[in-house]
């Protein structure tokens, strides 16, 4: 599994020893198309790294239906906010195709991060860059939506 982990951007800057620590806590899972990984409002207790397939991140808007926020592919990860804060899930995650993921529980990761601050720093820095990128993309979508609706 270490060869697989090396190919994932989240883990690309980790040493072999650090990858070994991640390997010990990552569980392989398979889910069929349209399986719900989690619902908005669910407690956040793990993150997922996609190794095959696509996952749709969406919100259900009353009187409108599902609004896809992003479609993530192999190498992408989601649910990482659960590793940083203790808030409910902010969106739904649904298998857009049959998928394979690596699931990492918050409690397992917390134990590693407490014992290896260097590894924790590397992962949290990557999470921060990802969250920043996603916030920027959301801001751009909102600006486009407001411009189309005459909100500007």
């Amino acid at each position: 599994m270490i060869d697989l982990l090396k190919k994932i951007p989240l883990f690309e800057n980790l040493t072999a020893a650090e990858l070994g620590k991640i390997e010990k806590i990552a569980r392989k899972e398979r889910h069929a198309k349209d399986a719900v990984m989690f619902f908005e409002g669910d407690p956040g207790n793990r993150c997922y790294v996609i190794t095959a397939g696509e996952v749709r991140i969406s919100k259900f808007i009353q009187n409108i239906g599902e609004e896809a926020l992003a479609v993530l592919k192999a190498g992408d990860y989601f649910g990482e906010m659960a590793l940083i804060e203790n808030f409910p899930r902010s969106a739904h995650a649904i298998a857009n195709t049959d998928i394979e993921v690596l699931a990492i529980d918050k409690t397992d990761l917390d134990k590693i991060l407490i014992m290896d601050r260097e590894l924790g720093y590397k992962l949290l820095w990557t999470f921060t860059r990802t969250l920043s990128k996603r916030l920027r993309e959301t801001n751009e979508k909102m600006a486009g939506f407001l411009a189309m609706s005459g909100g500007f």
Side-chain angles (χ1 to χ4, degrees):
M1 185 189 313
I2 288 184
D3 288 336
L4 174 63
L5 291 173
K6 282 184 198 178
K7 295 176 185 173
I8 297 168
L10 174 60
F11 305 124
E12 66 188 359
N13 294 321
L14 302 185
T15 66
E18 291 168 336
L19 289 169
K21 292 177 182 181
I22 300 298
E23 179 183 39
K24 288 179 183 175
I25 64 168
R27 289 188 333 271
K28 291 182 182 181
E29 295 181 2
R30 292 176 188 228
H31 298 276
K33 180 181 182 195
D34 297 324
V36 177
M37 306 297 295
F38 53 77
F39 290 99
E40 179 179 359
D42 283 352
N45 56 359
R46 70 180 51 92
C47 77
Y48 300 89
V49 179
I50 304 168
T51 57
E54 296 180 350
V55 173
R56 186 172 71 249
I57 306 299
S58 62
K59 291 182 93 56
F60 285 98
I61 301 170
Q62 191 172 2
N63 299 325
I64 295 176
E66 181 185 0
E67 177 65 30
L69 303 175
V71 176
L72 306 176
K73 300 177 184 328
D76 291 331
Y77 53 94
F78 61 99
E80 74 283 349
M81 288 171 58
L83 303 179
I84 298 169
E85 59 185 7
N86 291 320
F87 286 103
R89 300 288 191 183
S90 62
H92 305 291
I94 304 163
N96 213 34
T97 63
D98 289 349
I99 60 168
E100 293 179 12
V101 296
L102 298 176
I104 300 173
D105 285 337
K106 179 178 177 26
T107 53
D108 292 335
L109 188 62
D110 283 348
K111 289 175 191 172
I112 289 177
L113 300 183
I114 288 168
M115 299 175 85
D116 188 337
R117 293 195 184 274
E118 180 70 22
L119 174 57
Y121 173 80
K122 288 178 182 179
L123 291 176
L124 291 175
W125 185 246
T126 301
F127 289 153
T128 301
R129 285 194 312 263
T130 299
L131 291 171
S132 177
K133 177 183 175 217
R134 290 179 183 170
L135 179 59
R136 205 170 25 258
E137 289 169 355
T138 299
N139 286 343
E140 289 171 8
K141 286 179 185 176
M142 289 300 298
F145 174 76
L146 290 172
M148 288 189 313
S149 67
F152 274 130

